[in-house]
Amino acid sequence: MSESGHEQVRQARPTLADVPVEIVIVSPLTRALQTALGLFGGHPRAPPMLVAHLARERVENSCDVGRSPALLAAEFPSADVAHLVASGGKPSVLT
């Protein structure tokens, strides 16, 4: 995520603190995880985060392919990606 994106997350986070979020559904793409964790990590309601491959862009650009679940788990230990599997260089998919 760009520095501009990080700044947008920092600005939006306080606005969402009072929103009664029950669940966050997020793509397994790095920039989406960075955004979701930046916005809802430490949220007063501590909403569960569902990492769902169907919530991502279609593969139109190389940045839409994503990384292996092992790499995502290492970088985002608070995100549950155990249900995702790598499929031979293709986007992570649900088992």
Side-chain angles (χ1 to χ4, degrees), residues 1 9 21-41 47-57 72 76 78-81 83-84 92-94:
M1 187 163 52
V9 166
V21 178
E22 294 182 23
I23 188 169
V24 176
I25 300 172
V26 62
S27 158
L29 296 179
T30 299
R31 64 186 177 272
L33 285 164
Q34 289 170 328
T35 301
L37 290 168
L39 290 172
F40 299 104
M49 197 166 295
L50 172 62
V51 182
H53 82 284
L54 293 176
R56 68 170 176 75
E57 296 94 335
L72 293 174
F76 304 103
S78 64
D80 179 10
V81 296
H83 60 284
L84 300 174
S92 301
V93 296
L94 288 172

